[in-house]
Amino acid sequence: MIGKFAGRYSDDRRVLHDSQSCAKRCRVDQWHKVDGNALASIFAWAQHHLDQDLAIDLLASRAGMSRRTFIRRLEEATGMSPGDWLTQARVSRARELLEATQLPIEGIAVETGFGSAEALRHHFRQRIGTSPMRYRAAFQLPARAGAENC
């Protein structure tokens, strides 16, 4: 007896199974590879769109998963909830901008999707343990040689 559709292998072959023999015949490691590819592509896409409202439903849709499956797979892959992952990605991007640019804190907040300097400061301090300004003072890369002559 053939059960419902169970998943896809990385070469897009469909796996049909009945519920009693699934564990013997399903190649779970390859399923995770497919899900991992979907998550990797959504992670990369989200990194370039941090300034936008990245709702779970939008991310799940882009990954080709239901909301529930997306949340479960993301938590399996990262050990974080989608909200925590997104906040971490935004804080990481803020760190990069603080180190490499002269953008004001408000501009960095907008670029990273926090929306306000206050929200950026809150999440930055919570995750990094210091304020964005102190972080910038300690870790900003030196200006390029000759850049002051421009």
Side-chain angles (χ1 to χ4, degrees):
M1 175 170 155
I2 302 277
K4 65 180 186 175
F5 177 69
R8 284 189 279 157
Y9 283 97
S10 58
D11 66 357
D12 211 24
R13 286 180 288 144
R14 298 187 187 279
V15 180
L16 299 173
H17 64 86
D18 64 10
S19 60
Q20 294 175 339
S21 63
C22 177
K24 294 177 184 172
R25 294 188 302 161
C26 294
R27 306 267 325 240
V28 175
D29 58 325
Q30 290 181 343
W31 286 13
H32 287 297
K33 184 175 181 184
V34 171
D35 288 343
N37 289 342
L39 287 176
S41 68
I42 207 64
F43 290 161
W45 180 85
Q47 291 289 334
H48 291 91
H49 296 88
L50 290 173
D51 60 329
Q52 298 175 16
D53 179 21
L54 299 177
I56 293 173
D57 290 333
L58 171 68
L59 297 174
S61 174
R62 290 194 65 89
M65 298 178 194
S66 70
R67 176 186 173 95
R68 182 178 167 156
T69 299
F70 176 75
I71 291 169
R72 190 171 53 250
R73 296 288 188 251
L74 188 136
E75 287 176 351
E76 288 171 359
T78 66
M80 293 184 260
S81 71
D84 286 342
W85 177 83
L86 185 56
T87 299
Q88 185 63 40
R90 287 179 166 154
V91 167
S92 293
R93 180 66 181 139
R95 288 173 74 171
E96 293 171 3
L97 293 172
L98 288 165
E99 291 172 10
T101 72
Q102 292 295 322
L103 284 173
I105 299 302
E106 187 66 40
I108 291 174
V110 170
E111 286 286 319
T112 56
F114 284 114
S116 71
E118 293 79 24
L120 170 60
R121 286 185 195 102
H122 168 79
H123 291 290
F124 200 89
R125 185 178 302 278
Q126 188 177 44
R127 303 254 175 179
I128 307 300
T130 191
S131 73
M133 290 301 291
R134 286 188 177 169
Y135 183 87
R136 175 176 269 166
F139 295 104
Q140 188 167 45
L141 299 173
R144 291 181 295 161
E148 63 277 353
N149 295 332
C150 296

